[in-house]
Amino acid sequence: MNEDPLALLPEIILAVAAVLGLLLGSYLPRQRQWPVRLLTAVACVAGLVATVLAWGDPVRTVFGGSYALDVATNAGRTVVLAAVLLTLGVSAREFRSSPRESEWYVLVLLAALGTIVLTGANDLLLLVAAYLLASIPLYAIAGFAKDDLGTEGTLKFYLLGALLGITMLAGATVLFGVARGTGYPELQSGLGHAPAAVVAVGFIGVLAGLLFKMGAVPAHFWIPDVAEGTRPPAAAFLTTVPKIGGVIAAYRLLAAGMTDAGVDAALLVALVAAATMTLGNLAAFFQRDVRRLLGYSTISQVGYLLMAVAVAGRGSLALPSTLLYLGAYAVTNLGAFAVVCALPQRKTIEEYHGLLRQRPWLALSLVVCLLGLVGTPPTAVFAGKLTIFTAALDGGYAWLVVVAAVNTVASLFYYLRWIAPAVRPAAVPPTGGSEGWASLTAYVAALASLVLGPLTGLLLTAFRGGLALK
C-alpha cells in the first residue's frame, strides 16, 4: 500500500492545528484566546505553502488509491485555505474576547479539513467519511449563537444533513454491491456491466449527499434559513466553503465511474443545474434581508458550477473552468459577506441607503462583489462564467448555456436592488458599523476579484491537468 503521510501535509497541518487549538483553548483565559486565532492563520498559511510546493508533483493516488493527489485536490486545498483566511478576517471582531472563541476556530479548522478531504476522495468509503467530517462541525457553527432564529435554522440544517447523509451511505452501498469495490477505478470497471437501474439508484443516493454540501436543488432548503439565522461570519463560511468540496467531489465522481456506466448521469446533473440556478434567482428577487438574499444567491451560483460538472471528462476546459469559478466565487461571496459583517446593524436592503457617502470604500467593495457575482467584467467570476459556458457548449449542452445566460441577466435585478440604495445619497446617515478586520477583508476580497479576472490565462494554465483516477 502506497502510504505517504507527507503527501497529506496540508491536511495533517490542519488536523494538528485543530488539536492544538482545542488544547490551547482549555488552558488560556476565557477572555484572551486570540492565540488560537493566530494558530489558525499560521496553519492555513503553512498549508498553502505546502500545497504550492507540491503543485508540480506527478499525479498519483496514495493509501491504497483512496486519496488522489492531482490538480483538483491542490486547487481545492488552495481555495479552502484562502477562504478560511478570509473567514478569520470577517470573524475577528465578532468573536474577539468571546469565552468560546477557541471553539469557533477549532470547528472552522475541522470543517475545512473535511472539505479538503472531499476534494481528494477517490473511494466511496472515504467520500462518506469526508462528508461526515465536513458536516458535523458545520452543525455546531450554524447554531453557535444559541438564539431562537439560529437554532431553528440549525435544526433544519441538521435534519436535512442527517437524512441525505444516510441516503448517501445507502447509495454507496448499492454501488459497492454492483461494482464489487468502493474505489473509483473499481467503479470504472465494474459499473459498465451492472444493471442501469441499480446504478442509477446508487448514483442518485451518493449525489444527494453532495448536493446537500453544495446547497443545490432539491437539497437547498437549509441555506436561506441558516444564512439569515446564524451569525454573519458563520453564514459567510457556511455558504462558501462546503460548496468547494461538494462540487469537486461530484466532478471527480462523474469523471471516474459514471460516464460509462450506462446511466446518463450528465443529463441528470444538467437538469439539476438548470433548476438550481433558476430557483435561486427567482427566490432572491423578493428578498429584503441581505443575508437571505445572499443565501439564495449562493444557490444560483451552484447552478452555474454544476454546468461544468455535467460535462466532466468531455473536454479539456471542464475541470479548469470548474476550479477557476470555485476560486472566483469563494473570494467574491466572502467579500460580499464581509461588508455585511462590517455593518452588523444593517439587516435589510433599505438600511444600506447612503452607504457610498458614509463609507465610500466599503460601498465600492460591495458594488464590486455584487456585480462580480453577476459576472461583470473584469471580475474573476466573469472569467469563470465565460469558461464554464464555453465548456458546457463544447460538451453539447447549448440549451443549458441559454438557460444560464437568461438567469445571469435576471440576477442583475436583485443585485441592483441592493446596489441602488447603497449609492443613493441619504438624508440622515444610519448608525452602525465601524472600520475593522471585516472592512479590511471586504477591501482585500474586492481587489482580489478585480485582479484575478485579468489573470485568467495564467490560472487556467495552472489548473490544467488530469485527475488521478487509477
Side-chain angles (χ1 to χ4, degrees):
M1 183 177 290
N2 48 348
E3 298 179 358
D4 184 8
L6 289 180
L8 305 182
L9 186 56
E11 291 84 348
I12 293 173
I13 290 173
L14 288 183
V16 171
V19 175
L20 290 179
L22 194 60
L23 293 175
L24 274 176
S26 301
Y27 289 99
L28 290 171
R30 303 304 293 173
Q31 304 300 325
R32 297 180 60 187
Q33 298 188 2
W34 60 266
V36 181
R37 186 195 323 151
L38 179 61
L39 173 66
T40 304
V42 170
C44 290
V45 173
L48 285 171
V49 172
T51 301
V52 171
L53 293 177
W55 197 284
D57 291 349
V59 172
R60 61 192 174 114
T61 59
V62 293
F63 292 93
S66 63
Y67 198 75
L69 298 173
D70 50 30
V71 65
T73 304
N74 286 326
R77 290 167 169 172
T78 303
V79 177
V80 169
L81 293 173
V84 172
L85 286 174
L86 291 175
T87 302
L88 295 182
V90 300
S91 59
R93 182 179 67 177
E94 181 82 14
F95 298 102
R96 184 174 55 231
S97 301
S98 168
R100 299 166 61 216
E101 184 176 4
S102 63
E103 286 91 334
W104 162 259
Y105 294 116
V106 169
L107 290 171
V108 167
L109 284 170
L110 291 174
L113 175 59
T115 302
I116 291 177
V117 176
L118 270 176
T119 67
N122 204 46
D123 185 282
L124 289 177
L125 293 181
L126 183 59
L127 183 70
V128 173
Y131 172 90
L132 294 174
L133 180 56
S135 297
I136 294 174
L138 296 181
Y139 303 144
I141 288 175
F144 207 79
K146 295 185 177 180
D147 55 12
D148 293 341
L149 196 59
T151 302
E152 178 185 352
T154 304
L155 182 61
K156 295 178 182 178
F157 186 25
Y158 169 74
L159 291 177
L160 189 60
L163 172 63
L164 295 180
I166 294 172
T167 304
M168 184 181 192
L169 185 58
T173 304
V174 172
L175 293 180
F176 167 68
V178 295
R180 306 289 183 175
T182 57
Y184 287 1
E186 295 165 321
L187 295 182
Q188 281 184 312
S189 60
L191 293 182
H193 307 289
V198 178
V199 175
V201 170
F203 170 70
I204 290 173
V206 175
L207 182 64
L210 297 179
L211 292 179
F212 167 75
K213 298 306 300 177
M214 303 178 215
V217 171
H220 65 285
F221 296 103
W222 63 273
I223 286 188
D225 291 327
V226 170
E228 180 185 13
T230 191
R231 293 189 177 185
F237 185 83
L238 289 166
T239 58
T240 305
V241 173
K243 296 179 179 1
I244 301 167
V247 169
I248 295 179
Y251 187 100
R252 193 182 296 277
L253 180 65
L254 259 75
M258 294 300 147
T259 53
D260 300 319
V263 176
D264 199 345
L267 178 59
L268 174 61
V269 174
L271 293 173
V272 171
T276 300
M277 65 178 75
T278 303
L279 186 144
N281 282 324
L282 290 177
F285 284 160
F286 311 102
Q287 304 303 319
R288 294 178 58 252
D289 185 282
V290 293
R291 280 188 282 168
R292 199 170 184 87
L293 186 150
L294 285 175
Y296 280 112
S297 167
T298 64
I299 295 174
S300 68
Q301 296 295 327
V302 173
Y304 304 126
L305 285 162
L306 284 173
M307 294 173 63
V309 176
V311 296
R314 294 194 181 189
S316 60
L317 196 58
L319 181 58
S321 65
T322 304
L323 302 177
L324 175 63
Y325 201 125
L326 278 172
Y329 161 74
V331 168
T332 309
N333 191 64
L334 286 170
F337 266 104
V339 176
V340 175
C341 294
L343 303 169
Q345 304 303 320
R346 309 192 190 199
K347 300 183 182 300
T348 64
I349 291 173
E350 292 77 10
E351 291 174 339
Y352 279 75
H353 194 92
L355 182 63
L356 182 62
R357 176 175 295 180
Q358 303 145 18
R359 304 280 296 279
W361 290 110
L362 203 59
L364 289 176
S365 299
L366 178 65
V367 171
V368 168
C369 291
L370 293 183
L371 291 181
L373 290 173
V374 176
T376 307
T379 60
V381 173
F382 166 74
K385 272 191 179 180
L386 187 61
T387 53
I388 276 187
F389 287 6
T390 304
L393 195 61
D394 293 342
Y397 284 98
W399 65 268
L400 186 58
V401 175
V402 173
V403 172
V406 172
N407 271 280
T408 298
V409 174
S411 68
L412 184 62
F413 169 76
Y414 61 82
Y415 289 121
L416 288 178
R417 285 183 61 233
W418 189 355
I419 292 174
V423 300
R424 189 180 302 132
V428 180
T431 58
S434 60
E435 295 293 342
W437 283 104
S439 299
L440 180 60
T441 303
Y443 306 151
V444 170
L447 180 61
S449 181
L450 292 173
V451 170
L452 291 176
L455 297 178
T456 300
L458 294 176
L459 293 174
L460 288 177
T461 301
F463 291 150
R464 291 187 183 277
L467 296 179
L469 299 178
K470 297 180 181 180

